[in-house]
Amino acid sequence: MDSDPVNAYHLLFKSLSLIPFWHYMFAFVILLLVFLYNFLEFHLLEDLFTGFRGSPVTFTYNSASHIYHNLVSKCRILNGRYLPTPWLSSSHFQIAFLHFFGKPPAVKYRRKIFHTSDGGTIALDWLTPFDVSGDEVDINTAIPGDDTTPIAIVVPGLTSDSSSKYLTHLAFKLAKSGWNVVITNHRGLGGVSITSDCFYNAGWTEDLRAVIDFLHQEYHRAPLFAIGTSIGANILVKYLGEDKENVPVSGAVAICNPWDLLIGDRFICRKLLQKFYDRALAFGLQGYAKLHEPQYSRLANWEGIIKSRSIRDFDNYATCLVAKYETVDTYYRRCSSSYYVTNVSVPLLCISALDDPVCTKEAIPWDECRANRNVVLATTRHGGHLAFFEGITAAGIWWVRAVDEFLGVLRSSPYMHVQKKIKNTGPHSSLDCSIDQGPYVHLTEDGMVAAACDDQTRDDMVEGFDVLQKVVHPGTTETLSNTEKDASLTEAKSDVTGITQASKEATNTSSGVSNQVKICLNRIARQHRISMWLIAYTAILSSWPLLRSALTIFFRKKLA
């Protein structure tokens, strides 16, 4: 038998040629479907094997949370199961359907223009229960100031406005349930021009703060609730964390929050599909910049904006220059709401999908949400980004129904937040964050090194001066308050010179004062982890030139 390899291959190809061509096409189609099934992250087979029962919602909350035990636990939708539309069993298909179709209801907003203190213009689009009742209503009719109808304030996502399909679904549903809905369009969106040199970004909370304060003053009898979506959720949570208890908001909901912008930036350029979303969002930002080319060309790098191929490129050439951030990473760190969620003092429900291809689950601050009694995090296995379509016809959005039910339960409960007035410590700015304000470090007792903000360093300086002042004036027991610390820093130099003279007097008066001086030095040594021998050694080295000159003069006089 001939064992020539050429003949073997010849026989193989001859055998393969006998297989019908349509068999090859069928195998190719099967392989293509398997590839697309995994590439587009379908879960149809998973839903089929589970009998299309959907997956339960997973909650992350503090064990002592009244928000979960008395509010969320009573919500039937949240405690049920979410089953995506079977023919949209992919997060990417859900997002595409939301963008191109979405089946939004027909609404007609009432527009009110709000002017900020810096000359900016924001369009507030209202939708009331009368607007969706089906009756003829004059949209120019103003809402009376003493109206008690609860107001739902909606913060849109990146480059979204009141015409976005998911916002239309939300506004219509809430208005049908008896809410006055107001969508706060970002600056330059909703058909409104930029009238100042300030643009919105992922961490700009001043506009939201101004709008909420205005609505609280204008409709003082109506409870306010806030809903943030995507980047709007990041802005909302950051605002709630900044102002803590001093917010006139009774409750809030954050949908598909990106949480940590730096992690999100790394994630969105990791895979091919994520890069597609990155490019699509950058294209939307470029369109936003072209609407306001005169301002951007003057304040930012216009050529860089036009060449941007990612969100990071746009933020580098536009956001950082306009908002005065040193680097893109600095902007992402300072504007991430994950650093503020532990300070939230209002009932806050956060909803995210674990298969969100835009806002990754890797950025969710699980432990921070669990540590705050006011926060309940609800995660679903599927849903995509702001989509969550359900039903055979995909006519409804699951998170819209969940938000409507949660706010309805909260509205009729005693757990609504009541604003507590606190003294204003200064303007809120993302630049106040301690991140990237080094080079300060803090050494803990277990040897770990952590970043320490400039404010803490200044507080330690003031505390040290305060302790020394108590030694110089033993009869004084008053300590510095937080508002007096800055003033104490300006008097630091005079206090140091006074300390030297007073310590000399203290050594000649009584042993009690000298003991207090020793106690003070021991406290300083413990606070700064420095031994007394090291302090003495440093004092000798620093004073040796003066001491040597004094000894030289002394011995010269003795020998003369």
Side-chain angles (χ1 to χ4, degrees), residues 144-412:
D146 59 349
D147 190 12
T148 60
T149 305
I151 299 175
I153 305 166
V154 182
V155 189
L158 188 68
T159 67
S160 297
D161 56 22
S162 58
S163 63
S164 298
K165 297 178 177 62
Y166 66 93
L167 292 181
T168 306
H169 276 280
L170 176 63
F172 183 83
K173 179 66 175 179
L174 291 177
K176 273 287 188 181
S177 299
W179 293 75
N180 283 336
V181 184
V182 54
I183 299 178
T184 62
N185 296 285
H186 298 297
R187 296 192 186 205
L189 291 172
V192 176
S193 302
I194 291 291
T195 55
S196 68
D197 288 344
C198 181
F199 292 82
Y200 84 98
N201 59 56
W204 180 251
T205 58
E206 294 301 325
D207 287 350
L208 178 60
R209 181 176 293 106
V211 169
I212 290 178
D213 290 342
F214 163 74
L215 294 175
H216 180 58
Q217 295 175 3
E218 191 79 4
Y219 309 99
H220 56 278
R221 298 185 60 187
L224 302 181
F225 299 82
I227 306 167
T229 58
S230 192
I231 285 296
N234 187 81
I235 296 173
L236 173 61
V237 175
K238 184 172 181 287
Y239 157 72
L240 296 176
E242 287 175 345
D243 288 13
K244 301 178 182 178
E245 295 185 347
N246 190 24
V247 291
V249 177
S250 300
V253 182
I255 308 297
C256 297
N257 190 348
W259 292 109
D260 193 310
L261 303 179
L262 191 60
I263 295 178
D265 171 66
R266 303 295 189 265
F267 170 79
I268 205 168
C269 61
R270 184 182 301 171
K271 298 180 180 180
L272 181 60
L273 275 177
Q274 273 66 44
K275 291 180 180 179
F276 170 78
Y277 290 113
D278 191 17
R279 181 67 186 93
L281 292 172
F283 182 78
L285 289 172
Q286 286 178 323
Y288 171 75
K290 290 177 181 178
L291 292 175
H292 314 291
E293 181 178 352
Q295 290 83 1
Y296 269 114
S297 60
R298 177 169 52 87
L299 300 172
N301 186 340
W302 182 252
E303 293 184 359
I305 293 175
I306 296 300
K307 296 178 181 178
S308 296
R309 293 297 178 267
S310 65
I311 300 176
R312 186 180 183 87
D313 290 343
F314 183 89
D315 289 334
N316 182 42
Y317 294 119
T319 307
C320 289
L321 297 178
V322 174
K324 304 297 188 297
Y325 288 102
E326 296 89 347
T327 64
V328 178
D329 283 359
T330 301
Y331 161 58
Y332 290 156
R333 289 191 183 99
R334 295 184 182 179
C335 294
S336 296
S337 60
S338 59
Y339 299 109
Y340 297 86
V341 68
T342 54
N343 295 328
V344 173
S345 298
V346 308
L348 174 64
L349 173 65
C350 306
I351 298 178
S352 295
L354 298 181
D355 67 344
D356 191 328
V358 178
C359 300
T360 173
K361 62 182 179 182
E362 300 171 13
I364 297 177
W366 305 93
D367 291 339
E368 288 81 355
C369 292
R370 187 179 292 109
N372 192 332
R373 296 183 180 183
N374 300 304
V375 178
V376 175
L377 172 64
T379 54
T380 60
R381 191 165 184 175
H382 306 294
H385 186 69
L386 298 174
F388 292 83
F389 284 103
E390 59 182 353
I392 297 298
T393 61
I397 297 179
W398 177 85
W399 68 262
V400 170
R401 294 196 304 120
V403 169
D404 177 53
E405 182 185 36
F406 171 76
L407 292 182
V409 174
L410 176 60
R411 170 185 168 187
S412 58

Side-chain angles (χ1 to χ4, degrees), residues 470-509:
K470 287 193 217 177
V471 175
V472 178
H473 308 287
T476 304
T477 59
E478 183 180 359
T479 58
L480 292 175
S481 63
N482 292 331
T483 57
E484 294 172 336
K485 288 182 180 179
D486 292 333
S488 298
L489 285 176
T490 60
E491 300 174 359
K493 289 187 177 181
S494 62
D495 288 341
V496 172
T497 57
I499 289 168
T500 305
Q501 297 177 357
S503 61
K504 292 180 179 179
E505 297 175 1
T507 56
N508 297 327
T509 55

